[in-house]
Amino acid sequence: MRILILHNAVAADAAPDERDVLDQVAAIAASLARLGHEPAALGCDLDLPDLGRNLQDAAPDLVFNLVESLGGEGRLIHVVPALLDALGVRYAGCPSEAMFTTSHKVLAKQLLVGAGLPTPVWYELRRGRLVASGGGVATPARCLVKSVWEDASLGMDDDAVVAADPESLVAALGARAGRPGSPWFAEAFVDGREFNLSVLDGPGGPQVLPPAELTFVDYPPDKPRIVGYAAKWDEDSFEYSHTVRTFDLAPADAPLLARLREQSLACWDLFGLRGWARVDFRVDAAGEPWILEANANPCLSADAGFQAAVARAGLTFDDAVARILAAVPGA
């Protein structure tokens, strides 16, 4: 098949988290070629009429959607798959509705609560008034301030972990208002273990790949244990070299991991995910898991967690790409 890999256009001086999509394009193009397809790549921006014309000219058999933002705005991540739907172009990856509901973290948490799935309580500033939602971790000691829309842990550093009293939360949310990544919310900080569960589509339905734990090696006692921006993108930082992924989990974790798998599949169904996804968890001191986020179309770079989980499952990356293609409706 002639497969067009669609991605967000990246400026030459873009930050590492934005440039990462080009690594994904290279990985997918190489895999598609090995699988016997004819790959091509196209960057897109806010000029949607131009994108429509380019799609018409290219006339691909299929699009592989790697678009993570438009014009630098993560909140527009769902626009391109919605356009593909409108144009009748088949594409690999999650549908536009899933992209929207999982990318808006507060909306996603509302849906999790509605489905009876555990997610930490969160706080928003509405017309200057602090509003709490959800019932999980009802009386947190600290909260983690997050962007509602942006991914890649944008804005998440040690200062994003704040005391959970109303005065501190109002001050923290107010201080970030208007900054890149706005709007912001504060989520109860679960100071415990963190797990990523990757999910891959397959002929028998979604398959949860081996769970990965993110460990915080030699972190000072007073340093927040979070997978923030530096841990993901700043190769010279303490956080990057001391936040370590492992799949070597103790047999005693088996009951916990079974619950994580079950809840990951529940997220897959709840959000209508397709192709590939990842669900992030924190586990509190009592051993209770809390869903932080469901990630539609997570990073497919060679050093990302999804590829690592694929390998841990005994699959090749080409196996995974072939299964993602096979999951496209009408494939």
PDB file of all heavy atoms in Angstrom, residues 157-191:
ATOM      1  N   ASP A 157       7.731  20.309  36.641  1.00  0.00           N
ATOM      2  CA  ASP A 157       9.023  20.271  37.304  1.00  0.00           C
ATOM      3  C   ASP A 157       8.773  20.210  38.809  1.00  0.00           C
ATOM      4  O   ASP A 157       7.620  20.071  39.248  1.00  0.00           O
ATOM      5  CB  ASP A 157       9.869  21.488  36.912  1.00  0.00           C
ATOM      6  CG  ASP A 157       9.124  22.807  37.154  1.00  0.00           C
ATOM      7  OD1 ASP A 157       8.181  22.818  37.981  1.00  0.00           O
ATOM      8  OD2 ASP A 157       9.479  23.812  36.528  1.00  0.00           O
ATOM      9  N   ASP A 158       9.830  20.305  39.602  1.00  0.00           N
ATOM     10  CA  ASP A 158       9.655  20.172  41.043  1.00  0.00           C
ATOM     11  C   ASP A 158       8.695  21.223  41.609  1.00  0.00           C
ATOM     12  O   ASP A 158       7.972  20.965  42.581  1.00  0.00           O
ATOM     13  CB  ASP A 158      11.016  20.278  41.742  1.00  0.00           C
ATOM     14  CG  ASP A 158      11.889  19.054  41.491  1.00  0.00           C
ATOM     15  OD1 ASP A 158      11.419  18.129  40.786  1.00  0.00           O
ATOM     16  OD2 ASP A 158      13.029  19.032  41.981  1.00  0.00           O
ATOM     17  N   ASP A 159       8.688  22.411  40.999  1.00  0.00           N
ATOM     18  CA  ASP A 159       7.801  23.473  41.483  1.00  0.00           C
ATOM     19  C   ASP A 159       6.333  23.188  41.188  1.00  0.00           C
ATOM     20  O   ASP A 159       5.455  23.902  41.707  1.00  0.00           O
ATOM     21  CB  ASP A 159       8.201  24.810  40.852  1.00  0.00           C
ATOM     22  CG  ASP A 159       9.549  25.304  41.338  1.00  0.00           C
ATOM     23  OD1 ASP A 159       9.981  24.862  42.429  1.00  0.00           O
ATOM     24  OD2 ASP A 159      10.178  26.119  40.636  1.00  0.00           O
ATOM     25  N   ALA A 160       6.082  22.188  40.344  1.00  0.00           N
ATOM     26  CA  ALA A 160       4.692  21.852  40.032  1.00  0.00           C
ATOM     27  C   ALA A 160       4.046  21.037  41.150  1.00  0.00           C
ATOM     28  O   ALA A 160       2.832  20.841  41.145  1.00  0.00           O
ATOM     29  CB  ALA A 160       4.618  21.075  38.722  1.00  0.00           C
ATOM     30  N   VAL A 161       4.841  20.541  42.086  1.00  0.00           N
ATOM     31  CA  VAL A 161       4.304  19.813  43.244  1.00  0.00           C
ATOM     32  C   VAL A 161       4.117  20.821  44.377  1.00  0.00           C
ATOM     33  O   VAL A 161       5.085  21.422  44.857  1.00  0.00           O
ATOM     34  CB  VAL A 161       5.249  18.680  43.674  1.00  0.00           C
ATOM     35  CG1 VAL A 161       4.664  17.936  44.876  1.00  0.00           C
ATOM     36  CG2 VAL A 161       5.461  17.707  42.509  1.00  0.00           C
ATOM     37  N   VAL A 162       2.868  21.028  44.764  1.00  0.00           N
ATOM     38  CA  VAL A 162       2.548  22.083  45.733  1.00  0.00           C
ATOM     39  C   VAL A 162       1.687  21.522  46.859  1.00  0.00           C
ATOM     40  O   VAL A 162       1.077  20.455  46.725  1.00  0.00           O
ATOM     41  CB  VAL A 162       1.798  23.242  45.037  1.00  0.00           C
ATOM     42  CG1 VAL A 162       2.654  23.848  43.928  1.00  0.00           C
ATOM     43  CG2 VAL A 162       0.463  22.777  44.469  1.00  0.00           C
ATOM     44  N   ALA A 163       1.657  22.254  47.971  1.00  0.00           N
ATOM     45  CA  ALA A 163       0.789  21.865  49.077  1.00  0.00           C
ATOM     46  C   ALA A 163      -0.669  21.903  48.631  1.00  0.00           C
ATOM     47  O   ALA A 163      -1.053  22.710  47.776  1.00  0.00           O
ATOM     48  CB  ALA A 163       1.001  22.802  50.264  1.00  0.00           C
ATOM     49  N   ALA A 164      -1.476  21.023  49.221  1.00  0.00           N
ATOM     50  CA  ALA A 164      -2.851  20.860  48.752  1.00  0.00           C
ATOM     51  C   ALA A 164      -3.849  21.738  49.503  1.00  0.00           C
ATOM     52  O   ALA A 164      -5.053  21.588  49.311  1.00  0.00           O
ATOM     53  CB  ALA A 164      -3.261  19.389  48.859  1.00  0.00           C
ATOM     54  N   ASP A 165      -3.366  22.656  50.340  1.00  0.00           N
ATOM     55  CA  ASP A 165      -4.328  23.544  51.001  1.00  0.00           C
ATOM     56  C   ASP A 165      -4.863  24.546  49.980  1.00  0.00           C
ATOM     57  O   ASP A 165      -4.199  24.869  48.984  1.00  0.00           O
ATOM     58  CB  ASP A 165      -3.656  24.267  52.165  1.00  0.00           C
ATOM     59  CG  ASP A 165      -2.506  25.137  51.704  1.00  0.00           C
ATOM     60  OD1 ASP A 165      -2.752  26.308  51.373  1.00  0.00           O
ATOM     61  OD2 ASP A 165      -1.367  24.620  51.637  1.00  0.00           O
ATOM     62  N   PRO A 166      -6.068  25.050  50.193  1.00  0.00           N
ATOM     63  CA  PRO A 166      -6.698  25.934  49.187  1.00  0.00           C
ATOM     64  C   PRO A 166      -5.856  27.151  48.825  1.00  0.00           C
ATOM     65  O   PRO A 166      -5.785  27.522  47.649  1.00  0.00           O
ATOM     66  CB  PRO A 166      -8.011  26.341  49.864  1.00  0.00           C
ATOM     67  CG  PRO A 166      -8.323  25.196  50.780  1.00  0.00           C
ATOM     68  CD  PRO A 166      -6.994  24.733  51.293  1.00  0.00           C
ATOM     69  N   GLU A 167      -5.220  27.765  49.783  1.00  0.00           N
ATOM     70  CA  GLU A 167      -4.438  28.973  49.487  1.00  0.00           C
ATOM     71  C   GLU A 167      -3.283  28.645  48.539  1.00  0.00           C
ATOM     72  O   GLU A 167      -3.019  29.385  47.579  1.00  0.00           O
ATOM     73  CB  GLU A 167      -3.893  29.587  50.787  1.00  0.00           C
ATOM     74  CG  GLU A 167      -4.967  30.144  51.711  1.00  0.00           C
ATOM     75  CD  GLU A 167      -5.706  29.051  52.478  1.00  0.00           C
ATOM     76  OE1 GLU A 167      -5.219  27.897  52.487  1.00  0.00           O
ATOM     77  OE2 GLU A 167      -6.783  29.348  53.034  1.00  0.00           O
ATOM     78  N   SER A 168      -2.594  27.546  48.793  1.00  0.00           N
ATOM     79  CA  SER A 168      -1.466  27.168  47.942  1.00  0.00           C
ATOM     80  C   SER A 168      -1.925  26.800  46.535  1.00  0.00           C
ATOM     81  O   SER A 168      -1.274  27.144  45.536  1.00  0.00           O
ATOM     82  CB  SER A 168      -0.709  25.990  48.565  1.00  0.00           C
ATOM     83  OG  SER A 168      -0.158  26.342  49.813  1.00  0.00           O
ATOM     84  N   LEU A 169      -3.050  26.099  46.439  1.00  0.00           N
ATOM     85  CA  LEU A 169      -3.546  25.693  45.122  1.00  0.00           C
ATOM     86  C   LEU A 169      -3.991  26.906  44.306  1.00  0.00           C
ATOM     87  O   LEU A 169      -3.696  27.001  43.103  1.00  0.00           O
ATOM     88  CB  LEU A 169      -4.703  24.704  45.281  1.00  0.00           C
ATOM     89  CG  LEU A 169      -4.321  23.327  45.842  1.00  0.00           C
ATOM     90  CD1 LEU A 169      -5.565  22.483  46.063  1.00  0.00           C
ATOM     91  CD2 LEU A 169      -3.364  22.613  44.900  1.00  0.00           C
ATOM     92  N   VAL A 170      -4.697  27.817  44.944  1.00  0.00           N
ATOM     93  CA  VAL A 170      -5.128  29.026  44.229  1.00  0.00           C
ATOM     94  C   VAL A 170      -3.904  29.800  43.747  1.00  0.00           C
ATOM     95  O   VAL A 170      -3.857  30.282  42.610  1.00  0.00           O
ATOM     96  CB  VAL A 170      -6.009  29.907  45.144  1.00  0.00           C
ATOM     97  CG1 VAL A 170      -6.229  31.282  44.511  1.00  0.00           C
ATOM     98  CG2 VAL A 170      -7.343  29.224  45.400  1.00  0.00           C
ATOM     99  N   ALA A 171      -2.883  29.900  44.596  1.00  0.00           N
ATOM    100  CA  ALA A 171      -1.678  30.633  44.217  1.00  0.00           C
ATOM    101  C   ALA A 171      -0.948  29.949  43.070  1.00  0.00           C
ATOM    102  O   ALA A 171      -0.508  30.599  42.117  1.00  0.00           O
ATOM    103  CB  ALA A 171      -0.757  30.774  45.429  1.00  0.00           C
ATOM    104  N   ALA A 172      -0.834  28.627  43.134  1.00  0.00           N
ATOM    105  CA  ALA A 172      -0.100  27.892  42.099  1.00  0.00           C
ATOM    106  C   ALA A 172      -0.816  27.944  40.761  1.00  0.00           C
ATOM    107  O   ALA A 172      -0.193  28.149  39.712  1.00  0.00           O
ATOM    108  CB  ALA A 172       0.096  26.443  42.540  1.00  0.00           C
ATOM    109  N   LEU A 173      -2.132  27.748  40.779  1.00  0.00           N
ATOM    110  CA  LEU A 173      -2.885  27.789  39.529  1.00  0.00           C
ATOM    111  C   LEU A 173      -2.937  29.205  38.966  1.00  0.00           C
ATOM    112  O   LEU A 173      -2.833  29.417  37.755  1.00  0.00           O
ATOM    113  CB  LEU A 173      -4.296  27.249  39.751  1.00  0.00           C
ATOM    114  CG  LEU A 173      -4.372  25.752  40.062  1.00  0.00           C
ATOM    115  CD1 LEU A 173      -5.776  25.360  40.492  1.00  0.00           C
ATOM    116  CD2 LEU A 173      -3.952  24.924  38.843  1.00  0.00           C
ATOM    117  N   GLY A 174      -3.064  30.183  39.849  1.00  0.00           N
ATOM    118  CA  GLY A 174      -3.100  31.573  39.398  1.00  0.00           C
ATOM    119  C   GLY A 174      -1.771  31.994  38.795  1.00  0.00           C
ATOM    120  O   GLY A 174      -1.737  32.733  37.806  1.00  0.00           O
ATOM    121  N   ALA A 175      -0.665  31.516  39.366  1.00  0.00           N
ATOM    122  CA  ALA A 175       0.655  31.904  38.871  1.00  0.00           C
ATOM    123  C   ALA A 175       0.911  31.363  37.468  1.00  0.00           C
ATOM    124  O   ALA A 175       1.656  31.962  36.693  1.00  0.00           O
ATOM    125  CB  ALA A 175       1.729  31.405  39.833  1.00  0.00           C
ATOM    126  N   ARG A 176       0.303  30.229  37.135  1.00  0.00           N
ATOM    127  CA  ARG A 176       0.549  29.623  35.820  1.00  0.00           C
ATOM    128  C   ARG A 176      -0.467  30.072  34.770  1.00  0.00           C
ATOM    129  O   ARG A 176      -0.298  29.769  33.585  1.00  0.00           O
ATOM    130  CB  ARG A 176       0.526  28.102  35.937  1.00  0.00           C
ATOM    131  CG  ARG A 176       1.746  27.559  36.675  1.00  0.00           C
ATOM    132  CD  ARG A 176       1.690  26.053  36.838  1.00  0.00           C
ATOM    133  NE  ARG A 176       2.887  25.589  37.563  1.00  0.00           N
ATOM    134  CZ  ARG A 176       3.886  24.914  36.992  1.00  0.00           C
ATOM    135  NH1 ARG A 176       3.831  24.623  35.723  1.00  0.00           N
ATOM    136  NH2 ARG A 176       4.931  24.531  37.706  1.00  0.00           N
ATOM    137  N   ALA A 177      -1.503  30.741  35.191  1.00  0.00           N
ATOM    138  CA  ALA A 177      -2.535  31.167  34.241  1.00  0.00           C
ATOM    139  C   ALA A 177      -1.909  32.032  33.150  1.00  0.00           C
ATOM    140  O   ALA A 177      -1.145  32.963  33.433  1.00  0.00           O
ATOM    141  CB  ALA A 177      -3.628  31.936  34.970  1.00  0.00           C
ATOM    142  N   GLY A 178      -2.224  31.735  31.913  1.00  0.00           N
ATOM    143  CA  GLY A 178      -1.718  32.505  30.786  1.00  0.00           C
ATOM    144  C   GLY A 178      -0.382  32.037  30.260  1.00  0.00           C
ATOM    145  O   GLY A 178       0.033  32.449  29.171  1.00  0.00           O
ATOM    146  N   ARG A 179       0.312  31.197  31.012  1.00  0.00           N
ATOM    147  CA  ARG A 179       1.597  30.688  30.536  1.00  0.00           C
ATOM    148  C   ARG A 179       1.369  29.602  29.485  1.00  0.00           C
ATOM    149  O   ARG A 179       0.283  29.013  29.404  1.00  0.00           O
ATOM    150  CB  ARG A 179       2.404  30.119  31.707  1.00  0.00           C
ATOM    151  CG  ARG A 179       2.917  31.197  32.658  1.00  0.00           C
ATOM    152  CD  ARG A 179       3.510  30.616  33.922  1.00  0.00           C
ATOM    153  NE  ARG A 179       4.481  29.552  33.685  1.00  0.00           N
ATOM    154  CZ  ARG A 179       5.154  28.936  34.645  1.00  0.00           C
ATOM    155  NH1 ARG A 179       4.953  29.298  35.924  1.00  0.00           N
ATOM    156  NH2 ARG A 179       6.017  27.981  34.362  1.00  0.00           N
ATOM    157  N   PRO A 180       2.405  29.331  28.647  1.00  0.00           N
ATOM    158  CA  PRO A 180       2.248  28.237  27.679  1.00  0.00           C
ATOM    159  C   PRO A 180       1.796  26.957  28.385  1.00  0.00           C
ATOM    160  O   PRO A 180       2.334  26.584  29.423  1.00  0.00           O
ATOM    161  CB  PRO A 180       3.666  28.088  27.107  1.00  0.00           C
ATOM    162  CG  PRO A 180       4.253  29.447  27.228  1.00  0.00           C
ATOM    163  CD  PRO A 180       3.704  30.018  28.520  1.00  0.00           C
ATOM    164  N   GLY A 181       0.818  26.302  27.807  1.00  0.00           N
ATOM    165  CA  GLY A 181       0.252  25.110  28.422  1.00  0.00           C
ATOM    166  C   GLY A 181      -1.071  25.375  29.107  1.00  0.00           C
ATOM    167  O   GLY A 181      -1.741  24.451  29.544  1.00  0.00           O
ATOM    168  N   SER A 182      -1.452  26.639  29.219  1.00  0.00           N
ATOM    169  CA  SER A 182      -2.731  26.978  29.871  1.00  0.00           C
ATOM    170  C   SER A 182      -3.900  26.393  29.084  1.00  0.00           C
ATOM    171  O   SER A 182      -3.824  26.281  27.854  1.00  0.00           O
ATOM    172  CB  SER A 182      -2.880  28.496  29.952  1.00  0.00           C
ATOM    173  OG  SER A 182      -1.929  29.048  30.812  1.00  0.00           O
ATOM    174  N   PRO A 183      -4.974  26.071  29.782  1.00  0.00           N
ATOM    175  CA  PRO A 183      -5.214  26.171  31.214  1.00  0.00           C
ATOM    176  C   PRO A 183      -4.547  25.033  31.996  1.00  0.00           C
ATOM    177  O   PRO A 183      -4.116  24.040  31.426  1.00  0.00           O
ATOM    178  CB  PRO A 183      -6.738  26.082  31.298  1.00  0.00           C
ATOM    179  CG  PRO A 183      -7.116  25.226  30.126  1.00  0.00           C
ATOM    180  CD  PRO A 183      -6.143  25.580  29.037  1.00  0.00           C
ATOM    181  N   TRP A 184      -4.543  25.213  33.340  1.00  0.00           N
ATOM    182  CA  TRP A 184      -3.897  24.260  34.233  1.00  0.00           C
ATOM    183  C   TRP A 184      -4.897  23.737  35.255  1.00  0.00           C
ATOM    184  O   TRP A 184      -5.897  24.389  35.559  1.00  0.00           O
ATOM    185  CB  TRP A 184      -2.735  24.943  34.975  1.00  0.00           C
ATOM    186  CG  TRP A 184      -1.721  25.539  34.056  1.00  0.00           C
ATOM    187  CD1 TRP A 184      -1.776  26.775  33.455  1.00  0.00           C
ATOM    188  CD2 TRP A 184      -0.496  24.934  33.595  1.00  0.00           C
ATOM    189  NE1 TRP A 184      -0.675  26.964  32.656  1.00  0.00           N
ATOM    190  CE2 TRP A 184       0.134  25.862  32.728  1.00  0.00           C
ATOM    191  CE3 TRP A 184       0.121  23.716  33.844  1.00  0.00           C
ATOM    192  CZ2 TRP A 184       1.352  25.597  32.101  1.00  0.00           C
ATOM    193  CZ3 TRP A 184       1.333  23.455  33.222  1.00  0.00           C
ATOM    194  CH2 TRP A 184       1.943  24.379  32.361  1.00  0.00           C
ATOM    195  N   PHE A 185      -4.602  22.588  35.786  1.00  0.00           N
ATOM    196  CA  PHE A 185      -5.372  22.066  36.914  1.00  0.00           C
ATOM    197  C   PHE A 185      -4.388  21.406  37.880  1.00  0.00           C
ATOM    198  O   PHE A 185      -3.201  21.216  37.554  1.00  0.00           O
ATOM    199  CB  PHE A 185      -6.447  21.074  36.448  1.00  0.00           C
ATOM    200  CG  PHE A 185      -5.925  19.739  35.986  1.00  0.00           C
ATOM    201  CD1 PHE A 185      -6.078  18.603  36.762  1.00  0.00           C
ATOM    202  CD2 PHE A 185      -5.275  19.603  34.761  1.00  0.00           C
ATOM    203  CE1 PHE A 185      -5.602  17.360  36.348  1.00  0.00           C
ATOM    204  CE2 PHE A 185      -4.785  18.377  34.327  1.00  0.00           C
ATOM    205  CZ  PHE A 185      -4.948  17.249  35.124  1.00  0.00           C
ATOM    206  N   ALA A 186      -4.865  21.084  39.067  1.00  0.00           N
ATOM    207  CA  ALA A 186      -4.011  20.449  40.072  1.00  0.00           C
ATOM    208  C   ALA A 186      -4.615  19.095  40.432  1.00  0.00           C
ATOM    209  O   ALA A 186      -5.798  19.006  40.753  1.00  0.00           O
ATOM    210  CB  ALA A 186      -3.893  21.322  41.316  1.00  0.00           C
ATOM    211  N   GLU A 187      -3.791  18.077  40.368  1.00  0.00           N
ATOM    212  CA  GLU A 187      -4.242  16.713  40.650  1.00  0.00           C
ATOM    213  C   GLU A 187      -3.595  16.228  41.943  1.00  0.00           C
ATOM    214  O   GLU A 187      -2.405  16.482  42.181  1.00  0.00           O
ATOM    215  CB  GLU A 187      -3.831  15.803  39.492  1.00  0.00           C
ATOM    216  CG  GLU A 187      -4.222  14.342  39.644  1.00  0.00           C
ATOM    217  CD  GLU A 187      -3.722  13.527  38.453  1.00  0.00           C
ATOM    218  OE1 GLU A 187      -2.489  13.363  38.334  1.00  0.00           O
ATOM    219  OE2 GLU A 187      -4.555  13.070  37.647  1.00  0.00           O
ATOM    220  N   ALA A 188      -4.356  15.543  42.769  1.00  0.00           N
ATOM    221  CA  ALA A 188      -3.782  14.983  43.997  1.00  0.00           C
ATOM    222  C   ALA A 188      -2.543  14.165  43.655  1.00  0.00           C
ATOM    223  O   ALA A 188      -2.585  13.296  42.779  1.00  0.00           O
ATOM    224  CB  ALA A 188      -4.817  14.112  44.700  1.00  0.00           C
ATOM    225  N   PHE A 189      -1.449  14.465  44.332  1.00  0.00           N
ATOM    226  CA  PHE A 189      -0.184  13.788  44.041  1.00  0.00           C
ATOM    227  C   PHE A 189      -0.119  12.482  44.816  1.00  0.00           C
ATOM    228  O   PHE A 189      -0.114  12.476  46.056  1.00  0.00           O
ATOM    229  CB  PHE A 189       0.984  14.697  44.431  1.00  0.00           C
ATOM    230  CG  PHE A 189       2.341  14.063  44.223  1.00  0.00           C
ATOM    231  CD1 PHE A 189       2.683  13.510  42.999  1.00  0.00           C
ATOM    232  CD2 PHE A 189       3.260  14.018  45.260  1.00  0.00           C
ATOM    233  CE1 PHE A 189       3.928  12.922  42.808  1.00  0.00           C
ATOM    234  CE2 PHE A 189       4.513  13.433  45.080  1.00  0.00           C
ATOM    235  CZ  PHE A 189       4.841  12.889  43.844  1.00  0.00           C
ATOM    236  N   VAL A 190      -0.084  11.393  44.094  1.00  0.00           N
ATOM    237  CA  VAL A 190       0.040  10.068  44.702  1.00  0.00           C
ATOM    238  C   VAL A 190       1.532   9.759  44.783  1.00  0.00           C
ATOM    239  O   VAL A 190       2.173   9.446  43.776  1.00  0.00           O
ATOM    240  CB  VAL A 190      -0.703   9.004  43.866  1.00  0.00           C
ATOM    241  CG1 VAL A 190      -0.551   7.630  44.518  1.00  0.00           C
ATOM    242  CG2 VAL A 190      -2.169   9.382  43.704  1.00  0.00           C
ATOM    243  N   ASP A 191       2.076   9.860  45.962  1.00  0.00           N
ATOM    244  CA  ASP A 191       3.522   9.690  46.155  1.00  0.00           C
ATOM    245  C   ASP A 191       3.833   8.203  46.296  1.00  0.00           C
ATOM    246  O   ASP A 191       4.096   7.695  47.395  1.00  0.00           O
ATOM    247  CB  ASP A 191       3.982  10.457  47.396  1.00  0.00           C
ATOM    248  CG  ASP A 191       5.504  10.577  47.444  1.00  0.00           C
ATOM    249  OD1 ASP A 191       6.162  10.154  46.467  1.00  0.00           O
ATOM    250  OD2 ASP A 191       6.019  11.083  48.459  1.00  0.00           O
TER     251      ASP A 191
END
